[in-house]
Amino acid sequence: MEKSKNKKNVRVNYGLAQKQVLANAGVKITFLRSKILAFAMDSKKPFSFEDVFLALRDTGIHRATIFRNLSLFKDAQILREVDMRQDAMFYEIATKGHHHHVVCKICGCVESFDMCGLDNLVEEFIKNSKEFDKISEHSFEMFGVCKKCYKKK
Amino acid sequence: MEKSKNKKNVRVNYGLAQKQVLANAGVKITFLRSKILAFAMDSKKPFSFEDVFLALRDTGIHRATIFRNLSLFKDAQILREVDMRQDAMFYEIATKGHHHHVVCKICGCVESFDMCGLDNLVEEFIKNSKEFDKISEHSFEMFGVCKKCYKKK
DNA sequence: TGCCCAATGCGACCGAGTCGCATTTGGGAT
DNA sequence: ATCCCAAATGCGACTCGGTCGCATTGGGCA
């Protein structure tokens, strides 16, 4: 796999910000990890395996490596999973604070938003629940048709 | 495929309630559809393809037939999809009124509940949204560890 | 009863994700 | 700077959920 014409430049190609994040999370820094992370940090909306694969195809990266690193980044809390009701799992940078998404069912565009009221609802549920007394995660996603796609019809 | 020892009994095996539902939705009544629907109506929690497959394996039903009919039932609004954060999609009878689920991450048990506050939150989001002015669906699922599983640890 | 189209069986195919094993490489120790 | 080993990657086979096209079967209506 070709990484750089000049062996001496490999290290500086890693990217400072990515290096920082990886070191911080106690994750070994490699060329491919910094590339994946750079892509993730640039992405303005949740992305899937395929997005990464296409973005990095010129590096010759193997499918398995992407899956392994997405999973690693999730465990290291660098990324967070986002369920977009697609076949594939989506991811986004975990530092973006808890929020939710609306997904356009036609073009797939995404709008993010805070939903301050949700935590209260979760609290309330817990009080009334017979079988659960702790909730570790919740997901709340909305689906519709965005204004652009609506006009096109 | 063996459906019944006695050809004359095929029709009465269909089941009255299921026949009703299918006819009502404008869906052609067949032996396998009534079986799938009967299973769905009996099920006390959301079920997957595999659940149906196991329940009906003695009929010799083909995988594709189950997938096709689950999809058909969804389009006909007889079933509704439930996202359980599993690999496979889950389904439940659509007449059960809008509600949500908590899923135990260990044993997979499910508790259902109403979440009256959610519609208000959706409304509020719409008002503030630049890109959407109508939401057709939303999902809200919670994940935790149920009391039984918690004790076992 | 017979006919026609829809439902089913069948099997190949697809894409997401995983795994074991051989090879390469990052980074700490010298 | 070099060496070395554990960890990362490549590779390819495999699993599993789901889809598709085509041949056969069976529902339901005339």
Side-chain angles (χ1 to χ4, degrees):
Chain A
M1 188 178 55
E2 189 184 336
K3 293 184 175 177
S4 153
K5 295 93 212 152
N6 182 335
K7 230 173 174 233
K8 284 174 187 159
N9 284 336
V10 170
R11 269 189 185 74
V12 305
N13 277 347
Y14 280 11
L16 293 173
Q18 291 82 269
K19 211 170 165 177
Q20 198 83 343
V21 172
L22 293 171
N24 218 358
V27 169
K28 197 167 168 178
I29 299 164
T30 71
F31 176 78
L32 291 172
R33 285 181 183 168
S34 71
K35 284 290 190 184
I36 295 172
L37 186 52
F39 174 80
M41 289 165 71
D42 276 353
S43 182
K44 281 172 181 55
K45 58 174 197 171
F47 59 90
S48 66
F49 154 78
E50 204 191 345
D51 297 323
V52 180
F53 191 57
L54 292 176
L56 303 197
R57 62 170 139 19
D58 55 335
T59 67
I61 192 171
H62 194 273
R63 297 163 15 86
T65 302
I66 296 176
F67 282 118
R68 280 191 280 235
N69 281 321
L70 289 176
S71 176
L72 176 77
F73 289 176
K74 186 193 77 178
D75 292 345
Q77 316 238 43
I78 296 171
L79 294 180
R80 155 198 317 143
E81 290 185 347
V82 181
D83 179 358
M84 302 269 285
R85 288 269 184 103
Q86 256 33 23
D87 285 343
M89 183 57 69
F90 282 68
Y91 298 85
E92 67 180 1
I93 294 286
T95 50
K96 285 193 182 182
H98 185 69
H99 64 278
H100 301 275
H101 302 96
V102 211
V103 183
C104 173
K105 294 200 284 186
I106 294 178
C107 71
C109 72
V110 177
E111 190 175 348
S112 299
F113 59 97
D114 297 328
M115 205 58 145
C116 347
L118 272 177
D119 291 335
N120 301 335
L121 290 176
V122 172
E123 281 297 315
E124 190 160 335
F125 164 75
I126 290 294
K127 275 181 207 154
N128 301 327
S129 171
K130 288 186 293 286
E131 298 174 30
F132 288 81
D133 46 28
K134 187 154 180 295
I135 297 300
S136 57
E137 304 163 44
H138 66 266
S139 76
F140 177 68
E141 314 296 335
M142 302 192 288
F143 305 90
V145 176
C146 75
K147 292 183 181 177
K148 272 185 208 159
C149 288
Y150 191 76
K151 277 177 194 161
K152 280 181 193 163
K153 288 198 300 189
Chain B
M1 188 179 56
E2 188 184 337
K3 294 185 175 175
S4 153
K5 295 94 214 152
N6 182 334
K7 229 172 173 233
K8 286 175 187 159
N9 284 336
V10 170
R11 269 189 185 74
V12 305
N13 278 347
Y14 281 9
L16 293 173
Q18 291 82 269
K19 210 169 165 178
Q20 197 83 344
V21 171
L22 292 172
N24 217 357
V27 169
K28 198 165 167 178
I29 298 164
T30 71
F31 176 77
L32 292 172
R33 285 183 183 167
S34 71
K35 284 291 190 182
I36 295 173
L37 186 52
F39 174 80
M41 289 166 71
D42 277 354
S43 182
K44 282 174 180 54
K45 58 174 195 170
F47 59 89
S48 65
F49 154 78
E50 203 190 346
D51 297 323
V52 180
F53 191 58
L54 292 176
L56 302 197
R57 62 171 138 19
D58 56 334
T59 66
I61 192 169
H62 194 273
R63 293 162 20 85
T65 302
I66 297 176
F67 282 118
R68 281 191 280 235
N69 280 322
L70 289 177
S71 175
L72 177 76
F73 288 176
K74 187 192 76 178
D75 292 345
Q77 315 239 43
I78 296 172
L79 295 180
R80 154 199 318 144
E81 290 185 347
V82 181
D83 180 359
M84 302 268 284
R85 286 267 184 106
Q86 256 35 21
D87 284 343
M89 183 56 71
F90 282 69
Y91 297 85
E92 68 181 0
I93 294 286
T95 50
K96 285 194 181 180
H98 185 70
H99 63 278
H100 301 276
H101 302 96
V102 212
V103 183
C104 173
K105 294 200 285 186
I106 294 177
C107 71
C109 72
V110 177
E111 190 176 349
S112 300
F113 59 97
D114 297 328
M115 205 58 146
C116 347
L118 272 178
D119 291 334
N120 301 336
L121 290 176
V122 172
E123 281 295 316
E124 191 160 335
F125 163 75
I126 289 295
K127 275 181 207 152
N128 302 326
S129 170
K130 288 186 293 286
E131 297 173 31
F132 287 80
D133 46 28
K134 189 152 179 294
I135 298 299
S136 57
E137 304 163 43
H138 66 264
S139 76
F140 177 70
E141 313 296 336
M142 302 192 290
F143 305 91
V145 176
C146 74
K147 292 182 181 176
K148 273 185 207 158
C149 287
Y150 191 78
K151 276 177 194 160
K152 280 181 193 162
K153 287 197 302 186

